[in-house]
Amino acid sequence: MLVQVPQLGPGALAGAFVHERHLGRADLPRFEGWWSTEAGTRFEMAPVSRPPATVEAWQVSNPPILAMGPVRTSLELFDAVGMPALRERSVRLTGYLERLLDQVTAGRPLTVVTPRDPARRGCQLSVRIGAGSANELTKRLRHEHGVIADAREPDIVRFAPVPLYSTYHDCWWVADALAATVETNR
């Protein structure tokens, strides 16, 4: 079961999975808010929470409507496309990026460290850089080439071709930008 929990940042929604075995367990520590108490007594604002025996016991506040609009729309898109189709595209797109990165890493101080088996990974590929800072490399990729990557210091740069909107051209762009950026560091 999924429940909305406090916002993590400006306009950001958050959710948490709560296993059904935890329902009705008032003894478990959790954040509590006025929406995590029984609906019939919620507006009494009592000093002691009375959580319902449902997933709503973990809900902290009412969902912000403007932030929920994009979430609802994205869920409709996922329903329309379907997870099997997205996974199939993800495997193809990530495999293509992996082949391009194999070409880029050959003869360079770079190594793709993500498992090769698509069943053991999602759409993200991690590349270990031989020298320098992962943060610095991702900053250069963004500022010099418009490539958004994720850094895990000290030496991992992560690329994620998202199947819903990334293209094969995006993958080529990433590989080309990585090769150019690493070449200028030699």
Side-chain angles (χ1 to χ4, degrees):
M1 299 185 156
L2 189 66
V3 64
Q4 183 225 338
V5 293
Q7 289 186 321
L8 296 178
L13 291 175
F17 174 80
V18 179
H19 194 278
E20 62 188 22
R21 72 176 174 257
H22 301 305
L23 301 181
R25 298 264 324 264
D27 61 312
L28 292 176
R30 66 181 184 282
F31 287 120
E32 292 181 342
W34 70 296
W35 276 78
S36 61
T37 195
E38 293 175 348
T41 60
R42 182 172 296 147
F43 291 98
E44 292 175 6
M45 307 287 183
V48 176
S49 175
R50 291 185 296 229
T54 64
V55 73
E56 284 76 19
W58 277 265
Q59 187 169 324
V60 176
S61 66
N62 56 316
I65 297 304
L66 293 178
M68 289 295 291
V71 171
R72 182 176 181 176
T73 300
S74 72
L75 292 174
E76 289 169 358
L77 285 171
F78 282 109
D79 284 345
V81 174
M83 291 309 289
L86 283 173
R87 179 62 182 151
E88 181 182 321
R89 178 167 166 80
S90 174
V91 169
R92 286 192 322 267
L93 201 59
T94 306
Y96 176 65
L97 178 59
E98 181 180 45
R99 287 187 298 280
L100 293 172
L101 291 176
D102 285 344
Q103 294 171 13
V104 170
T105 59
R108 293 184 174 95
L110 303 169
T111 308
V112 177
V113 295
T114 306
R116 294 281 172 172
D117 179 6
R120 295 187 54 223
R121 67 173 186 222
C123 70
Q124 180 267 124
L125 295 173
S126 295
V127 177
R128 176 167 284 124
I129 60 174
S133 161
N135 278 328
E136 288 304 313
L137 181 58
T138 58
K139 285 178 188 172
R140 289 194 55 210
L141 286 167
R142 182 175 212 155
H143 295 297
E144 296 172 19
H145 302 279
V147 170
I148 299 172
D150 183 44
R152 291 292 184 261
E153 285 292 345
D155 62 352
I156 299 291
V157 177
R158 303 187 321 167
F159 302 99
V162 181
L164 193 58
Y165 53 83
S166 295
T167 66
Y168 290 95
H169 184 263
D170 293 333
C171 293
W172 174 84
W173 185 297
V174 164
D176 189 60
L178 180 61
T181 305
V182 172
E183 281 302 314
T184 60
N185 282 346
R186 284 183 160 191

